[in-house]
Amino acid sequence: MKAAVHIQAAARGECTYLKKASFTTPFKVANITEDKKAAALHLMLMSASPGILDGDEYDFTIEVEAGCSLQLHTQAYQRIFHMQQGAIQQMKVDLAVGASFCYLPHPSVPHAQSVFTACNDFYLDAGCRLVFGEVLTCGRKLNGETFLLSKYHSITNIYINNRLVIKENLLMQPGFIAPGGIGQLEGFTHQASMMWLQEDTDSKAIKEKVISLLAAETGIEAGITAAPANGLLIRLLGHGAEQLYNCLQRINAILPVQKNKLLSYVS
């Protein structure tokens, strides 16, 4: 199945509103913003499909206008089913000057013999804020499907002023490289990554807060490094999807919000 979602967030006074939302089956976009006068817009990406099926091709396009703030949520874990050919997902996000975008989807669960490729492209203008993360499980662990997927490939490119500053290439292909081996997950079964970029922020102070937050967790390993632009790159290894997903949510909660520059950008 081929499906597409197109979202445009724009400014109305000091608030961000949903200017356009077009989608095809099985997707739907719902506005879940609790405070309609809030500066940030919260949208839920909903799907009537049980998961990603063989031959699926998804195309997401998201545009956030100058000074606006959008947070995109998901409903549940993303199941990637048994496949013969494979499935593809592409996401392109354009952030105008001073825009903010946050997307921390639920964990992906690749079933046995699943083949999935995702490409995420983020284009940031000056003064933007980006929070993006993903959690990948070993599969249906309780069903005995630990690392029985055929291939999971996720490529993330982040451009600032059309210059590539971050490229992440996550490839899990157990038939070629043992995921639990040295230099791979080394005994862990789940992994998470998170990227945070934001100008005019003390990233060193935020790094210390993140380290303190993660130090209270048990059964995980964490790595935190400074991003090429102002921000942090975070990698987590663990044995449970819920724990890693909750860690990303808690990290996001302590990140500074974007200063309200909306009026200066749209005036």
Side-chain angles (χ1 to χ4, degrees):
M1 176 187 294
K2 292 186 178 181
V5 175
H6 185 191
I7 296 171
Q8 283 184 306
R12 179 183 289 146
E14 297 185 1
C15 301
T16 300
Y17 77 101
L18 183 57
K19 181 178 180 180
K20 176 182 179 180
S22 60
F23 42 84
T24 56
T25 305
F27 292 108
K28 182 179 180 180
V29 176
N31 189 340
I32 59 171
T33 307
E34 294 183 1
D35 183 0
K36 301 304 180 181
K37 296 182 180 180
L41 173 67
H42 290 258
L43 300 178
M44 176 75 74
L45 181 61
M46 308 171 70
S47 176
S49 173
I52 299 176
L53 306 174
D54 196 16
D56 281 353
E57 295 182 19
Y58 296 161
D59 189 359
F60 302 144
T61 302
I62 300 169
E63 301 171 58
V64 186
E65 295 187 2
C68 297
S69 179
L70 170 63
Q71 184 160 347
L72 186 62
H73 305 263
T74 54
Q75 280 182 297
Y77 283 43
Q78 181 67 277
R79 296 189 178 275
I80 308 172
F81 288 99
H82 172 99
M83 299 178 182
Q84 297 292 331
Q85 299 177 346
I88 299 172
Q89 177 176 295
Q90 294 181 320
M91 181 172 68
K92 180 184 178 185
V93 179
D94 286 304
L95 303 183
V97 176
S100 174
F101 178 68
C102 176
Y103 183 45
L104 297 172
H106 281 79
S108 296
V109 184
H111 290 204
Q113 298 183 36
S114 60
V115 180
F116 180 66
T117 300
C119 186
N120 310 299
D121 292 320
F122 298 92
Y123 294 88
L124 284 61
D125 280 343
C128 290
R129 177 183 186 268
L130 172 66
V131 179
F132 174 68
E134 55 183 335
V135 179
L136 177 63
T137 75
C138 59
R140 295 188 295 179
K141 190 175 181 180
L142 297 180
N143 286 22
E145 290 187 7
T146 301
F147 296 125
L148 293 185
L149 69 153
S150 294
K151 181 181 178 181
Y152 182 95
H153 196 186
S154 177
I155 304 168
T156 299
N157 300 306
I158 300 179
Y159 300 84
I160 298 180
N161 296 324
N162 292 317
R163 182 175 68 89
L164 181 65
V165 295
I166 296 175
K167 184 179 186 72
E168 181 174 72
N169 192 348
L170 171 60
L171 175 62
M172 297 294 292
Q173 203 164 3
F176 288 90
I177 301 177
I182 296 176
Q184 300 299 309
L185 301 186
E186 300 190 4
F188 291 95
T189 56
H190 295 63
Q191 61 180 304
S193 63
M194 185 174 185
M195 306 174 190
W196 165 62
L197 298 179
Q198 186 173 354
E199 291 184 7
D200 303 325
T201 303
D202 187 352
S203 59
K204 291 183 179 180
I206 299 300
K207 181 179 179 180
E208 293 304 315
K209 290 183 179 181
V210 174
I211 291 173
S212 178
L213 184 152
L214 294 176
E217 295 290 328
T218 59
I220 70 168
E221 291 287 344
I224 307 171
T225 186
N230 194 57
L232 299 174
L233 304 178
I234 303 167
R235 176 80 66 185
L236 305 177
L237 297 177
H239 295 283
E242 198 72 11
Q243 181 184 21
L244 297 186
Y245 178 69
N246 288 337
C247 283
L248 297 192
Q249 296 293 332
R250 286 196 289 269
I251 293 172
N252 182 47
I254 65 173
L255 296 177
V257 298
Q258 184 84 319
K259 294 179 181 178
N260 192 349
K261 305 174 184 177
L262 192 148
L263 290 178
S264 63
Y265 287 127
V266 299
S267 60

